[in-house]
Structures are given as structure tokens and as C-alpha cells.
Amino acid sequence: MAAEIHSRPQTARPVLLNKIEGHSDAVNAAVLIPKEDGVITVSEDRTIRVWLKRDSGQYWPSIYHTVSSPCSSMSYHHDSRRIFIGQENGAVVEFLISEDFNKMNHVKTYPAHQNRVSDMVFSLESEWLVSTGHDKSVSWMCTQSGSMLGRHYFNAWASCLQYDHDTQHAFVGDYSGQITLLKLEKQTYSTITTLKGHEGSIGALWWDPVQKLLFSGASDHSIIMWDIGGRKGRTLLLQGHHERVQSLRYLQLTRQLVSCSADGGMAVWNMDTQREEAPQWLESDSCQMCEQPFFWNLKQMWDTKTLGLRQHHCRKCGKAVCGKCSSKRSTFPIMGFEFPVRVCDTCFDTIKEEDRTPLASFHEGKHNIAHMDMDPSRGLMVTCGSDRVSKIWDMTQVVGCSLATGFSSR
């Protein structure tokens, strides 16, 4: 079922501790059980499995439960040991896990959606289950009565969700690239605002209620930090992934953001530093450096008897420039550009070597990462994906040993 990895190199990178295998289809979600050497996984093969680490060092399923439809998402509340499983058919099933993690009893089935459940959050404070689905809706249901409290529809599939338990605000990302902020109440709701900045579908959200920061990752390979608490519309762009960003986790203690992408890329971003907002791209009919016309500027092309040029943009100043005036590339981590991007010749000359010092580290997970969960107190991370494998990582070398208090043992 599982192979244990014994080598622990001392370089600053994630250390693979275990691989958990056994699913016959993609693993859509995996969570680490707090204070236990255990992992819960849900899969397209319709199974919910609780894996516990044995004396041999391997993980074996102590619970193996099959449901009627592929499992698409999961929300686990450790203090109450309640687990909610979203399914392909739109239903959410609630179970109660025993104290020894060897038994799971069915509690309720919620008719939450008409199509695949993409994400969900259980709030013990309000006894609400908030979920999103491919029926283009977000719904909130009472977990005591099992009744529907409210529903809001979008113009695109709702793909991911974050929820502020204190204020009952929900952040919903969708396939159009928008993030909608809703204030949920019993039997009603209000739309607060819509955040627009991504050029692709939203793949992951993470809300930090302390600093009131929202992080979003999308299929445009980028991450945006939205300063919700600042109320000034401040955003920071982070670019370092080469594929769809599918999972995020912000570590409050060390001010680091961990992100994972579909190509197995894992990034750790230093957010405890003064960063600059990327500029808005300017529009012009001619290059703002050499003044040569762009190809749609027919009048200037006719007057100067020249061919029009293609428009580009400098990532540092935002000016509209031609290819000749932006022939150089540079990293500029303070604006979130961790790989070389187009800059105009003037900006290139202003970038010093120390300005290119990376503010993020990048690592290879060596499998498609559809979902990730972390236990910051132990410095552990679990990743899972379409290769049907879950991997457990020691992240203490990457995110700081101050997080780790040692690994538990059964």
C-alpha cells in the first residue's frame, strides 16, 4: 500500500517522508489529522479512506468506506471529528469518525447541489455547511436540521471557496476568473463586491482572518494577494508557477505562502517583506519610448510610411512599448516576478543585481498536485492528485524549524 522514504538530505527543500498508494482513481482531497500520524483521503473511485501510520512506518487504511458517487471534495472538523464529503452527484454526506479513527458512522445527507460539489466549509459556530458546485451556485445549509438556508447563482462554475466564520462572509472563485464576496445570513444574502484580476479560472483560495488577506491562484499560473483589510484595493501579483495553481496555504507564524500547481511545482513565498504592486498596463497608439506606431495606428503608419509594430508592456513601469525597446528580460521579485519577464530598456538599466534576489523558493513534487493540506505545528504537508498517490512531506527546512515541535508517534 505504501512505501517509506528514509533518506533525509539536509538541503533546504521539502523532504518526502511517505507515499500513500492504493486508490484506483484520482485523489481529489487529502487532509492531515491533527495530533495523529494519519491522513484522510477522498477519491474519484468513490472511497473515503482514513490512513494511520503503523509501527512498520507504513500507512494502512483503518477506515475504507465506499459511497454512491465519486468523491470530489472534503471538509474535516477535527475537534468534533465530523467529516463532510462532496460528491459528483451534488450531494454532501456527513459522517462522524470514532475517537480511535477505526470507525465512521453516517449522520446526514445534504442535497446541496445539482452537479459536482467543488468545495465546502463547515462552520461549527453557526452550524452551517457552505458549499460551491458546478451547478454555478454557492449554497449554505443548516447542519442541525439539514435544511437549505440560501443559494446564490453565478454565471460560471463555482470552483473554490473560503469562509470567514466570525463575519459570515464567503469568498467564491469561479471559472470566469472572478472572486465574489458575499455576506451570508439566514434566508438571505448580499453581494459585497467582485474581485477581478485573473485572466483564467480560479483554482484555489486562502483567507487569513488575522491580517484579512485573501490569496487566489488561477489557471493563468499566477497568484494574487488581495488586501481586504486595508480597504484600499491593494493587490500584489506573484508569478513563479508554470502551470495552473491549484492549492494555497498561508502560514501566519512565518509570514510565508505555500502554493502548489498542476505540474507538481511547489513554491514558498516570503510575504514578510516590503513588496511593490505591479503597475497597470498603459495603452497607447505608438511606442511610449521610440514613438513608432503600433499596427492599428493607420494614420501614423501612412504619415511616416512605416509598418506598424506589435504592442508589448514593460512589467516594471507598465508602459506600452515595441519589441525593439523591450528586448531584455529580468526577474524582479519585489513585484512578484520570480522568473524573467519583459522590461523596457530604461527599466532594465535601473534594476540592480540585489533587486534580483529571489523572494521565493521553488521545489518539485514530481506529481500532479490537485490538493494540498498542511499542519504548521509539525511542519508537515500532504499533496495528492490525478496520479492516485498522496505524498507526505517534511517542510521544516523550507518554512522554518520554528514551526516544528516534533512528529507524533502512535
Side-chain angles (χ1 to χ4, degrees), residues 1-6 16-22 51 56-60 389-392:
M1 283 285 186
E4 185 170 20
I5 311 300
H6 294 283
L16 180 59
L17 299 176
N18 289 89
K19 290 170 64 177
I20 299 176
E21 301 170 311
W51 308 79
S56 64
Q58 293 184 331
Y59 284 80
W60 292 90
V389 175
S390 299
K391 295 183 179 183
I392 300 175

Side-chain angles (χ1 to χ4, degrees), residues 25-30 42-44 71-74 116 118-119 159-160 175 202-205 217 243-248 259-266 365-373 382-391 393:
D25 210 333
V27 182
N28 288 321
V42 298
S43 169
E44 289 286 335
C71 304
S72 54
S73 54
M74 165 176 46
R116 185 181 180 91
S118 55
D119 204 355
S159 54
C160 49
Y175 271 71
I202 309 298
L205 291 173
E243 255 297 344
R244 176 185 176 89
V245 180
Q246 302 198 125
S247 199
L248 297 168
S259 58
C260 298
S261 58
D263 60 355
M266 299 187 294
K366 296 184 178 179
H367 74 146
N368 166 278
I369 300 176
H371 186 267
M372 167 265 289
D373 182 48
V382 61
T383 59
C384 62
S386 59
D387 60 354
R388 301 172 292 177
V389 175
S390 299
K391 295 183 179 183
W393 305 85

Side-chain angles (χ1 to χ4, degrees), residues 226-240:
W226 311 82
D227 186 2
I228 304 298
R231 299 181 181 275
K232 295 180 180 179
R234 181 171 179 260
T235 61
L236 293 177
L237 178 67
L238 303 175
Q239 290 192 332

